[in-house]
């Protein structure tokens, strides 16, 4: 649903997520923090996160790519240099910012769309990350779109 991105639901590449015993982290490290077009397990994780921001847990991601949740967290951090939880938070806030800029949706709807059932908690998290509330962010974007 985010960004209207079509495609299969987080299908991992056979070479990375399959049963072979190659050192997966070494293979994925070559793709350090680059684009969301990364192949293999890390690419599948990023795609799954992108497509499921509204209903996402570490366990649901791990299940989707058929690996243990703890192992997935360690692997993701080693391969990207970013913790999985931090990546999810960053993607949620990026999508919330997009919705705030481009729609007139209520904050409650946006909070839910990015995975927060409690809009007060969403506002708190948004403020911690951006140093402004969602309302302030929307107002700023609408009053002057320079460089945003």
């Amino acid at each position: 649903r985010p960004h209207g991105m079509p495609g299969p639901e987080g299908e991992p590449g056979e070479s990375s997520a399959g049963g072979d015993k190659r050192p997966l982290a070494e293979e994925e490290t070559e793709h350090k923090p680059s684009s969301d077009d990364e192949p293999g397990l890390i690419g599948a994780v990023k795609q799954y996160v992108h497509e499921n921001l509204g209903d996402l847990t570490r366990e649901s991601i791990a299940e989707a790519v058929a690996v243990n949740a703890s192992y997935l967290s360690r692997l993701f951090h080693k391969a990207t240099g970013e913790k999985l939880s931090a990546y999810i938070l960053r993607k949620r806030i990026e999508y919330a910012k997009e919705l705030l800029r481009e729609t007139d949706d209520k904050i409650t709807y946006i909070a839910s769309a990015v995975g927060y059932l409690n809009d007060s908690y969403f506002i708190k998290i948004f403020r911690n990350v951006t140093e402004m509330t969602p309302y302030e962010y929307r107002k700023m974007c609408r009053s002057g779109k320079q460089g945003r």
Side-chain angles (χ1 to χ4, degrees):
R1 189 172 65 179
H3 310 294
M5 185 172 180
E9 291 263 336
E11 294 177 13
E14 290 185 28
S15 65
S16 298
D20 63 7
K21 303 292 183 197
R22 289 183 292 135
L24 188 56
E26 181 180 317
E27 175 185 327
E28 297 297 340
T29 302
E30 295 174 12
H31 304 288
K32 210 133 168 114
S34 64
S35 74
D36 287 334
D37 297 328
E38 295 172 280
L41 183 65
I42 300 303
V45 168
K46 288 183 173 188
Q47 181 176 353
Y48 185 84
V49 168
H50 180 79
E51 294 173 353
N52 296 280
L53 280 175
D55 185 24
L56 195 62
T57 63
R58 184 180 74 151
E59 289 71 23
S60 68
I61 300 166
E63 185 177 321
V65 296
V67 297
N68 174 279
S70 296
Y71 173 73
L72 175 63
S73 291
R74 287 190 309 273
L75 179 66
F76 189 91
H77 186 248
K78 185 172 183 178
T80 66
E82 182 175 28
K83 290 184 177 184
L84 181 57
S85 58
Y87 176 78
I88 293 168
L89 174 63
R90 181 168 58 85
K91 290 300 181 180
R92 283 179 165 163
I93 297 301
E94 285 174 8
Y95 186 46
K97 285 178 167 184
E98 179 182 326
L99 292 173
L100 288 163
R101 282 190 312 268
E102 299 177 9
T103 73
D104 291 322
D105 293 340
K106 293 182 178 184
I107 302 303
T108 301
Y109 172 81
I110 292 173
S112 177
V114 298
Y116 295 96
L117 300 178
N118 181 323
D119 52 324
S120 296
Y121 183 65
F122 164 70
I123 293 167
K124 177 182 176 181
I125 295 298
F126 191 93
R127 181 183 300 156
N128 287 345
V129 173
T130 66
E131 298 183 350
M132 62 182 78
T133 68
Y135 305 99
E136 293 166 340
Y137 180 81
R138 177 177 270 165
K139 185 177 178 181
M140 176 195 70
C141 291
R142 301 228 168 136
S143 66
K145 293 194 174 212
Q146 298 118 330
R148 305 271 184 248

